[in-house]
Amino acid sequence: MILELAENGGESMTGTLARSLGGGGGIGGGEELLCPPTNFAMVDRGIYRSGFPNSDNLGFLDALNLRSIIYLCPEPYPEVNAEFVKSRGIRLFQFGIEGSKESFVTIPKDTIMEALRVLLDIRNHPVLIHCKRGKHRTGCLVGCFRKLQNWCLSSVFEEYLRFAAAKARVSDLRFIEMFDVSCMMQCVLGIIYRYHGCGSQARRISYRDIS
Amino acid sequence: MILELAENGGESMTGTLARSLGGGGGIGGGEELLCPPTNFAMVDRGIYRSGFPNSDNLGFLDALNLRSIIYLCPEPYPEVNAEFVKSRGIRLFQFGIEGSKESFVTIPKDTIMEALRVLLDIRNHPVLIHCKRGKHRTGCLVGCFRKLQNWCLSSVFEEYLRFAAAKARVSDLRFIEMFDVSCMMQCVLGIIYRYHGCGSQARRISYRDIS
């Protein structure tokens, strides 16, 4: 049984279903199961989050057809991960935010802004955001992204807590609350202008009197 | 400042960002904040999950441009929700699974299969799955969907537990584990055949010798 599927964008359930049918893992048996990294989830179309992917997770990541990875730790990428991104032509954006067990250590705002710039640029999608456990650094970045999406703070916090669970930090919640999305204004407008010029067949932006 | 965005498919972060810029909620101030339903998350492209949406959440649901809702409770839809889906032309698929506090009460397999058939059909996307709290009934349906996607069981369980947290039920985990995805084989193939005939410009499926 051979089944092929091609589509724009890469990521979707149908691709995986087709693979299941083709190889038979889920339905026919035999194909290796896909193991997402710990704390994996879809944030939005073309945006994923997780904890640190290990060698068991590379088959799953492969299925996402990632164009880039936002890596939020200062440590160098392990050889197996570095080899994976190189072989797949995935662009690695590293923003070295120190992990800390101290709840009073806050996340650096400028670094989060830089990471947001990469995250918002759809030319980098599909993109995976990850740190070590996918709780604190990743949670802060996603929290700021949700504020840009105009989510109410209680929903932003609910999502943060779902991933951080017992490891939640008040300092992270405070950082997200205090993050002023207006500082991203120029960046977002810049992306929309570029986007408009992209000529994507799937989307169209028109704007009047942006001031 | 007026900003318009149109795209195929409806759901994406860019739409929300554009609204934020246009109305100014996130960045300029003024527009009403978006409140996702409790336990809201994106499952896959065009598939969302949540707890029961109340009237505060309808603005957010509106932004998702839903084509359908899979509602997993036996109770009639409240008037405000019924009015919302009617006015937006959203198709409501109701599968009445009894909610129970008893951990030995298992989920009906046939009903989950029926719901999966609706869920897998991309003509129903974007689709929101919800029950009351977005933990048990929704968690079981999403768990079976992940098995169809060929996820390893530990990752399926991790996701279930992220939403159910302290309310997790062993009977749900057992149901997901025992759910035999091969029973969905005909359904998935049927969908792929229909899909192939759809002529979607975004995707293409070719197949040889499916036996």
Side-chain angles (χ1 to χ4, degrees), chain A residues 180-196:
Chain A
D180 180 7
V181 289
S182 68
C183 67
M184 293 299 296
M185 180 68 166
Q186 283 308 317
C187 165
V188 174
L189 282 180
I191 286 164
I192 288 180
Y193 282 120
R194 278 202 302 275
Y195 187 41
H196 184 61

Side-chain angles (χ1 to χ4, degrees), chain B residues 181-197:
Chain B
V181 289
S182 68
C183 67
M184 294 299 296
M185 180 68 166
Q186 284 309 316
C187 166
V188 174
L189 283 180
I191 286 164
I192 288 179
Y193 282 120
R194 278 202 304 276
Y195 185 42
H196 184 60

Side-chain angles (χ1 to χ4, degrees), chain B residues 169-187:
Chain B
R169 291 176 184 161
V170 176
S171 59
D172 285 349
L173 298 177
R174 197 173 297 129
F175 174 82
I176 295 169
E177 180 179 357
M178 295 306 170
F179 185 80
D180 180 7
V181 289
S182 68
C183 67
M184 294 299 296
M185 180 68 166
Q186 284 309 316
C187 166

Side-chain angles (χ1 to χ4, degrees), chain B residues 140-152:
Chain B
C140 285
L141 180 58
V142 172
C144 294
F145 172 70
R146 295 306 191 191
K147 283 186 76 171
L148 273 169
Q149 286 189 305
N150 213 17
W151 280 31
C152 64

